Amino acid sequence: MEQSYAEANAKKKTTPATIALKIVLILIVITIFMASFLSKFIMLLGVAAAVALIWYWPRFQVEWEYVYCDGQLDFDMIQGGEKRKNILRIEIEEADAVVPLTSSRMDGYRHLPVKDFTSLRDDARVYAIVTRANEKEEKIVITFEPSEKMLEMMHTKCPNIVEI
């Protein structure tokens, strides 16, 4: 039997909040270094803060990867282009709906909590999955940006759930 496999990526847009956080962190490190003239301990603290900032900096670059394989959809977060972490795995057959975010089928689900795996770009084609995550009782809405191939495969597997 042939496997159905598709993947898609969405690089998260840098938000004003992220830019502000970067600026604040840089200002903190600079302030600590300027205060380092007072004692050697503050100088060590400044070096430690600079090393921590350099270590943490790549985590500001986030990319979402969606992997669809035989009815299972994985959501992975890639930080700094190299560190991968699996965030969520769902079964499409267990979902209530996989529809565009603007679809009228979403009207009854707008009150549910949202897990956002999108790029935050205005021109992105965002889809929503309404499902139960991790065997929990409450439903959630998962937003993501699937590829055409992924949508077609999901629609072939579950035509009554997936809207193209």
Side-chain angles (χ1 to χ4, degrees):
M1 182 180 251
E2 187 177 316
Q3 277 189 335
S4 59
Y5 178 86
E7 63 181 68
N9 290 30
K11 187 171 182 166
K12 191 173 179 181
K13 182 177 99 174
T14 304
T15 63
T18 304
I19 294 169
L21 180 60
K22 286 180 180 181
I23 291 170
V24 167
L25 292 175
I26 290 170
L27 290 175
I28 289 172
V29 170
I30 290 171
T31 304
I32 293 172
F33 269 116
M34 292 183 82
S36 67
F37 297 114
L38 301 175
S39 77
K40 292 189 181 222
F41 174 73
I42 296 177
M43 177 64 134
L44 289 174
L45 187 64
V47 170
V51 169
L53 182 61
I54 291 168
W55 174 77
Y56 191 77
W57 198 264
R59 285 165 179 69
F60 287 117
Q61 299 171 355
V62 175
E63 184 175 344
W64 299 110
E65 182 178 67
Y66 325 113
V67 178
Y68 175 77
C69 185
D70 290 333
Q72 209 171 52
L73 186 59
D74 288 335
F75 295 91
D76 295 341
M77 178 174 58
I78 303 170
Q79 292 179 322
E82 57 188 44
K83 186 178 178 184
R84 175 186 301 271
K85 182 178 179 184
N86 184 276
I87 305 295
L88 184 65
R89 174 175 284 168
I90 62 167
E91 295 287 336
I92 295 298
E93 294 172 333
E94 296 173 5
D96 289 358
V98 180
V99 297
L101 191 58
T102 57
S103 173
S104 61
R105 285 179 61 187
M106 281 299 296
D107 290 345
Y109 303 110
R110 302 246 184 245
H111 66 284
L112 297 175
V114 176
K115 285 194 174 234
D116 187 13
F117 298 112
T118 64
S119 65
L120 303 175
R121 291 182 299 124
D122 295 332
D123 62 338
R125 198 178 86 193
V126 179
Y127 269 70
I129 301 173
V130 180
T131 189
R132 286 176 172 72
N134 301 333
E135 314 294 320
K136 293 183 181 176
E137 289 300 314
E138 71 261 3
K139 292 182 183 180
I140 63 168
V141 174
I142 301 166
T143 56
F144 73 119
E145 300 171 25
S147 65
E148 285 293 327
K149 180 180 177 185
M150 187 181 293
L151 282 173
E152 289 171 9
M153 288 180 176
M154 287 191 291
H155 184 71
T156 301
K157 177 91 173 165
C158 305
N160 58 336
I161 296 172
V162 180
E163 177 183 311
I164 295 184

